[in-house]
Amino acid sequence: MAKRKADEAMLLRPAAIGEIDRGAGVKTIPLVGHWNTRTGRLTTGRTTFGPGTEIPLHTHNVDETVMLLRGVATVNIDGRAHAARAGDVTWIPAGVPHNFSNRGTGEMQIYWVYAGRDVSRTIVATGETFEHLSEADRRLATKPDAGPGG
């Protein structure tokens, strides 16, 4: 007998999952994705950015929506910078360049949802493409104001 989708239903406790350190003060907790569901058609997680941190301008192969849970951000979408605060939500279709930068003095936290299981990130400046949350993708966080080596 085929396994029912309800058999994969789950309650996730982020504190029990653990964070992925992405460097420069950025940490991600992967929530729902191909790593814990066979039938789910989306990928979700939560990322916390320390003051002055960001992930470089990039695109994805799938649509994405992000809710700013805490802090203040600059959200760059297709060449336009937007000031965002907790509660604001973005909709970013596949292929549209974007990034989030923490413009505050405290932590900034986002909840992200990708419309797909197999997510990739392409860095606009280099054209490099990485599987989402792969080892290479995990090292993309930067603190631009820190100067060389920061």
Side-chain angles (χ1 to χ4, degrees):
M1 174 176 260
K3 192 171 187 179
R4 297 176 320 129
K5 286 186 181 185
D7 293 339
E8 281 199 348
M10 65 186 97
L11 171 67
L12 300 170
R13 299 194 189 276
I17 294 171
E19 295 180 320
I20 296 170
D21 187 346
R22 300 180 75 180
V26 177
K27 296 180 179 170
T28 293
I29 298 175
L31 296 171
V32 176
H34 63 82
W35 51 84
N36 62 3
T37 176
R38 289 180 303 108
T39 61
R41 294 187 202 134
L42 53 84
T43 302
T44 72
R46 189 174 76 197
T47 300
T48 302
F49 295 73
T53 59
E54 67 183 17
I55 293 179
L57 191 66
H58 61 276
T59 63
H60 295 291
N61 61 322
V62 296
D63 297 339
E64 175 186 26
T65 185
V66 172
M67 175 181 267
L68 187 59
L69 298 174
R70 181 172 60 216
V72 291
T74 298
V75 182
N76 294 296
I77 303 172
D78 203 21
R80 293 188 55 212
H82 306 271
R85 63 181 183 271
D88 289 346
V89 177
T90 64
W91 169 250
I92 304 167
V96 173
H98 64 281
N99 79 329
F100 295 79
S101 302
N102 182 349
R103 64 181 175 91
T105 57
E107 285 189 339
M108 177 192 84
Q109 190 173 79
I110 62 173
Y111 174 74
W112 39 266
V113 178
Y114 296 112
R117 289 177 59 81
D118 300 310
V119 181
S120 66
R121 180 186 322 272
T122 300
I123 305 305
V124 171
T126 65
E128 295 174 282
T129 299
F130 306 101
E131 178 185 345
H132 179 253
L133 293 182
S134 66
E135 286 301 315
D137 184 55
R138 292 177 186 195
R139 295 188 303 266
L140 295 174
T142 63
K143 192 165 186 174
D145 297 336

